[in-house]
Amino acid sequence: MATDGSVLEVSLSAVVANWRKLCSLHPGAVAGVVKADAYGLGAVHVAPALHAAGCRHFFTAQFDEAMAIRALVPGAMVAALNGPPPDAEYEYLANDVTPVLGSLAAIDRWTTQARSLGRTLPVILHVDTGMHRLGLPPAEISVLADDPGRLDGLTLLYVMTHLVSAELPDDPQNAHQLARFAAACARLPPAPRSIANSSGIFLGPAFASDLARPGAALYGINPTPHAENPMRPVARLLAPVLQIRDVPADETVGYNATWRAARPSRIATAAIGYADGWLRAHSNRGHARFDGAPVPLVGRVSMDLCTYDVTDHPRIVPGDRLELLGPAFGPDAAAEVAGTNGYEILTFMGMRIARVYVA
Ligand SMILES: *Cc1c(COP(=O)(O)O)cnc(C)c1O
């Protein structure tokens, strides 16, 4: 049976083209951040496509996400940004998942493990330069600087930090974090460095490092919100029309009657709702597209359905598909309507939406 639900068409060649573009802009290596199922697009498809293009570094948030792609990207580094929980050393080592260590306690567990195995273990150190979320705080950097033996048995693949406001090029926080990171690195053993996320790559040469960690830009989200999107669109979201009905003037549509027909209207009901991640905040705002023309969403977004005013689109019939995300109207534009960011639009795409991979 053909699906009666919505479809997210993902262009893997566009993801790869975006990765190549970032490689051309960043002097160091460029990883693929594929956490949250590659921002909702499907990590088990995205990661091998990037690997085939030459990507050799992957980041997830959690260990299970790393395991989902581990065998699909042979020879590549797969690291879990959230850091290993206590007693996870064996599973990380047995599966070749690289730990991102962000506390003295985690470092001590891994050096203990290295001693008991009698070999050195590859790790990434995460330095907190202002996010105050994960990573070694300044006091713990000082402890390491005063007692370098504390890192014995560890091979520092990278020392990394994460930018707070990289999409705001004029924010002084960017340079401030760079200075803090340089100071921290100077107190640690020499090691390759990793700084930029997607937007960081566009901050200029000072923010270049041995390894950039873009996610959003790979998936077509604009890393330079103050300027035109330099990335290629990657995803189309299509919702099938289930029924079309005539609604007399003055009748209402949807829960709580938040939209009232000002004229005799044709209303198309499409198979997508907030349970699919199409946020309720889109209610009575925003548009789908049909043949490139905007079609207004009217009434409340409900769990499984959205209603559209197709009075001015007599050609739309049941079975047609409305385009909710596409080249002309990407995740950033949808986010603008719903009062969020493109990251949330993509990562909210529900499991009910079929992912279809196109060239
Ligand atoms: C999510 C994340 C990234 C990728 O950020 P984008 O803005 O999507 O490019 C990089 N580094 C860390 C630590 C992250 O958490």
Side-chain angles (χ1 to χ4, degrees), residues 10-29:
V10 178
S11 167
L12 293 173
S13 62
V15 175
V16 166
N18 284 336
W19 181 74
R20 290 210 168 98
K21 175 160 199 171
L22 297 173
C23 290
S24 75
L25 295 170
H26 188 260

Side-chain angles (χ1 to χ4, degrees), residues 33 35 39 81 133 160 162 197-198 213-216 343:
V33 176
K35 60 192 181 185
Y39 294 42
L81 289 164
R133 197 174 67 166
M160 63 165 271
H162 192 38
N197 64 342
S198 297
R213 304 184 312 276
Y343 296 66

Side-chain angles (χ1 to χ4, degrees), residues 46-95:
V46 167
L50 290 173
H51 185 258
C55 182
R56 290 294 175 269
H57 304 82
F58 294 88
F59 288 93
T60 64
Q62 301 184 0
F63 178 78
D64 285 349
E65 296 180 304
M67 288 303 291
I69 61 161
R70 177 60 280 183
L72 304 175
V73 293
M77 182 192 88
V78 179
L81 289 164
N82 282 7
D87 301 323
E89 294 87 357
Y90 174 78
E91 276 191 291
Y92 270 70
L93 292 168
N95 293 291

